[in-house]
Amino acid sequence: MIDETLSKERQFHDTWAAAIDVDGIRVADYFEACTAPENRFILQQLGDIRGKRLLDLGCGAGENSVYFAQKGANCVAADYSPGMVEVALKLAAANGVKIEGHTANAMALDFADNTFDIVYASNLLHHIPNPKIALKEMHRILKPGGKACFWDPLKHNPVINVYRRMATEVRTDDEMPLDINIIKVVKSLFSQTTYDTFWLASLWIFLRFYLIEKVNPNKERYWKKIIIEHERLSPTYQQLEIIDQSLKKIPLIKRLAWNIAVVATK
């Protein structure tokens, strides 16, 4: 069953990779846009990454690898999809930086213990049949004091779950958004863990896409659209983010957010 799931994930992402135009990717937006709060949170925790050996696990199109390389890290872009690794290398070349490419299974990484200063994974764990194994692998290949960073969707919000049921053509059948209790697993492995959740009231932007702007969720990936159009969305998002900060002070509300971002130290 696991092999079948991984095979389907690889096929889906290889097909997606074949349609990506690297010239249209604005790398910095994925970390610096107002609508990228997960990565802005992670960057605050990481600090200076110059000279650090960094594994971008589940690299996708390589936006993360290229951004970190631009900031001075020595990056390895790894993905189970060879097509995505190829796109990441093309994106690096288009942006004038060098990265290494590597095809990898996140549940059985062929890197030695204590290899990396940072392991970063965006939107990866909910594609993994057993994310706990992937977290153990991330811990294993980190150097002592190294940091594991990841962000992924949570499963608890009913509004975003309606979106998931509609957007069947831009996601895989087997992906499983995380339970917020994944934090307990992280804390059991790592010496220090910090996390936050994002997108509560700000999910109104998704509703606006669908109800007002009539954006077909199977024609455009909403989670890409919020980055690409961050300048247009900024006034609305920034107001809603202030509301989100207040909402997250209410017990149990943080679990209703769309995404969780985690930085853990070995």
Side-chain angles (χ1 to χ4, degrees):
M1 181 65 71
I2 288 178
D3 288 343
E4 180 182 349
T5 298
L6 291 176
S7 178
K8 288 164 64 178
E9 288 284 341
R10 171 177 279 174
Q11 182 177 4
F12 177 88
H13 288 89
D14 278 348
T15 301
W16 180 8
I20 294 174
D21 176 12
V22 297
D23 293 332
I25 297 176
R26 296 170 55 180
V27 170
D29 289 351
Y30 286 84
F31 285 84
E32 299 173 7
C34 67
T35 50
E38 303 87 353
N39 275 333
R40 289 190 282 113
F41 170 80
I42 288 172
L43 289 177
Q44 289 175 355
Q45 311 305 315
L46 286 181
D48 188 359
I49 62 171
R50 286 177 293 181
K52 301 290 187 180
R53 185 155 173 78
L54 184 149
L55 175 64
D56 178 12
L57 187 58
C59 65
E63 302 97 331
N64 316 306
S65 297
V66 172
Y67 184 84
F68 287 128
Q70 290 173 336
K71 297 299 179 182
N74 301 313
C75 293
V76 178
D79 202 287
Y80 196 63
S81 161
M84 284 297 189
V85 175
E86 183 179 348
V87 171
L89 293 173
K90 289 180 180 177
L91 184 65
N95 283 270
V97 295
K98 291 184 178 181
I99 62 174
E100 298 176 40
H102 194 87
T103 303
N105 178 350
M107 294 188 298
L109 295 170
D110 53 352
F111 297 108
D113 296 358
N114 308 318
T115 298
F116 293 95
D117 299 293
I118 300 168
V119 177
Y120 169 93
S122 68
N123 266 329
L124 170 70
L125 293 182
H126 72 289
H127 290 284
I128 302 296
N130 191 330
K132 294 179 182 179
I133 295 176
L135 286 168
K136 290 177 181 179
E137 281 290 89
M138 292 165 71
H139 181 274
R140 178 184 65 78
I141 64 174
L142 276 170
K143 299 175 183 177
K147 294 183 182 296
C149 322
F150 69 88
W151 65 270
D152 271 276
L154 293 171
K155 71 179 187 180
H156 310 288
N157 188 291
V159 173
I160 204 67
N161 283 332
V162 170
Y163 165 72
R164 290 185 182 114
R165 287 194 290 271
M166 292 190 302
T168 55
E169 296 179 24
V170 294
R171 55 188 295 270
T172 57
D173 295 334
D174 298 299
E175 62 185 67
M176 291 290 293
L178 304 183
D179 189 298
I180 199 167
N181 287 323
I182 195 73
I183 290 299
K184 295 180 180 179
V185 177
V186 178
K187 288 181 176 179
S188 73
L189 292 170
F190 292 84
S191 65
Q192 183 178 348
T193 301
T194 182
Y195 77 97
D196 202 351
T197 62
F198 304 92
W199 301 87
L200 286 160
S202 44
L203 283 173
W204 160 248
I205 292 176
F206 274 42
L207 291 173
R208 190 173 84 178
F209 285 163
Y210 184 72
L211 296 174
I212 299 175
E213 300 179 12
K214 307 298 182 183
V215 179
N216 187 329
N218 282 305
K219 298 297 182 183
E220 292 190 58
R221 292 174 167 88
Y222 284 12
W223 50 272
K224 286 281 188 182
K225 189 176 178 68
I226 59 173
I227 298 296
I228 295 169
E229 300 186 16
H230 69 95
E231 292 175 349
R232 175 176 75 90
L233 300 173
S234 177
T236 301
Y237 175 80
Q238 290 181 343
Q239 291 178 8
L240 292 171
E241 188 178 44
I242 293 172
I243 299 174
D244 283 352
Q245 293 300 326
S246 298
L247 288 174
K248 287 189 290 186
K249 296 176 183 178
I250 302 173
L252 301 180
I253 293 296
K254 289 182 77 168
R255 70 190 291 115
L256 293 177
W258 174 27
N259 285 330
I260 186 170
V262 179
V263 178
T265 304
K266 182 173 179 177

